[in-house]
Amino acid sequence: MAGELTRLRYVKKGRVGYVTLDRPEVLNAMDLRMHEELRGVWDEIEADDDVWVVVLAGAGERAFSVGQDLKELAERVRAGTSLSTFGSRGRPGYPRLTERFAFAKPVIARVQGFAMGGGFELALACDIIVAAEDAVFALPEAKLGLVAGAGGVFRLAQQLPYRAALGHLMTGRRLTARRALEYGLVNDVVPAGELDACVDGWVRDILRCAPLSVRAIKEAAAQAVTTPLERSFATRHVWEERRMHSRDALEGPLAFVEKREPEWTCT
């Protein structure tokens, strides 16, 4: 990777890329330097054919991320450069994960402790969320004269019942891990000591599947959220076209009939 990572850790283990927000002393608050580093990591992962799934976590036990670095924001307020709205176009780190709508590889959020503001928005942009029992989610932007501009307003309104979403957005009220599970906002809630094992289980299950099938499903499901069913059937999806004409589409049925484990090639 070009450039030294000072706000993140990124390691590859087999087919898995592990991205860790690494500012535990400030609860993994995201400053502009972190956003720039994240852009480089996401670019690298997208270009790396050997990475089939990503795990996103926060360093330490206290927080996934509490979102925007408010001390840095206050400095920009004093300098008159804090103006922002929905999206990050024209700002450091663009396109951020929250706006990488064509990011095809599955991303699992490993959430322990606080996931607040932009940290919650980052988790909402992932495909699977595994939370420790102590996880706490909130979008407190309204209390600061801000909006959840990294997609929180949009994604929460899509992923929660409308009035529940609006209640949390307009008040900044916190959402416990258990309540999030009841809403279907997270996939699993486990004791903190079992968090890594639970994440590993999701990783293993994804890696047992054909990577092109996983990407085609992610792409089609994301579009289906806002597309009428009839149009969804008629839409030509990029990753489904690749899957349909791939070797893996032949390998799966053959392996099943021959009673062996499939050998996925992502081709």
Side-chain angles (χ1 to χ4, degrees):
M1 162 167 302
E4 179 187 1
L5 295 179
T6 64
R7 303 292 197 271
L8 306 174
R9 285 182 273 125
Y10 174 56
V11 296
K12 283 194 333 182
K13 297 179 182 178
R15 298 291 191 183
V16 188
Y18 291 89
V19 181
T20 304
L21 312 179
D22 195 17
R23 300 183 75 204
E25 70 282 1
V26 290
L27 302 181
N28 300 315
M30 295 182 284
D31 61 3
L32 297 181
R33 175 62 184 267
M34 181 182 283
H35 284 302
E36 286 281 18
E37 292 183 8
L38 279 168
R39 176 177 61 182
V41 168
W42 299 130
D43 286 346
E44 180 172 328
I45 290 171
E46 281 194 289
D48 190 343
D49 291 336
D50 291 331
V51 175
W52 290 3
V53 61
V54 183
V55 174
L56 177 62
E61 300 178 351
R62 298 173 61 198
F64 175 74
S65 172
V66 293
Q68 185 169 196
D69 187 324
L70 293 180
K71 289 185 178 179
E72 182 183 69
L73 177 60
E75 292 175 2
R76 301 208 316 270
V77 168
R78 296 187 185 99
T81 60
S82 66
L83 186 66
S84 65
T85 184
F86 296 111
S88 61
R89 185 178 294 275
R91 291 189 284 156
Y94 179 82
R96 299 174 183 177
L97 182 65
T98 50
E99 293 167 80
R100 290 186 180 238
F101 306 114
F103 192 89
K105 298 175 183 182
V107 183
I108 300 171
R110 176 200 180 279
V111 179
Q112 183 172 6
F114 295 112
M116 315 285 278
F120 190 12
E121 291 175 296
L122 194 56
L124 288 171
C126 296
D127 305 298
I128 291 171
I129 301 177
V130 180
E133 290 176 335
D134 67 351
V136 178
F137 303 89
L139 293 171
E141 282 81 356
K143 295 180 177 181
L144 300 169
L146 306 172
V147 296
V153 171
F154 311 131
R155 287 191 170 97
L156 204 66
Q158 288 180 343
Q159 297 177 30
L160 283 188
Y162 175 74
R163 283 185 176 79
L166 206 56
H168 284 282
L169 287 163
M170 293 194 303
T171 66
R173 286 186 178 183
R174 296 182 176 188
L175 187 65
T176 67
R178 287 294 173 190
R179 189 61 170 155
L181 183 65
E182 291 172 4
Y183 279 135
L185 194 65
V186 303
N187 297 81
D188 267 319
V189 174
V190 297
E194 300 174 16
L195 187 57
D196 287 328
C198 188
V199 170
D200 289 345
W202 281 99
V203 169
R204 285 194 302 270
D205 286 347
I206 290 173
L207 291 179
R208 288 190 184 105
C209 299
L212 293 179
S213 291
V214 171
R215 296 174 200 181
I217 289 166
K218 173 175 175 173
E219 177 189 38
Q223 292 183 4
V225 172
T226 57
T227 303
L229 188 58
E230 182 178 359
R231 190 184 305 168
S232 292
F233 273 95
T235 299
R236 308 298 290 184
H237 298 94
V238 173
W239 284 99
E240 171 54 12
E241 292 290 318
R242 289 188 59 176
R243 182 214 61 81
M244 182 172 57
H245 298 290
S246 69
R247 295 179 183 176
D248 285 353
L250 306 176
E251 168 66 7
L254 291 175
F256 178 82
V257 170
E258 295 167 7
K259 295 181 172 55
R260 59 177 175 81
E261 289 295 317
E263 297 179 5
W264 307 124
T265 63
C266 203
T267 59

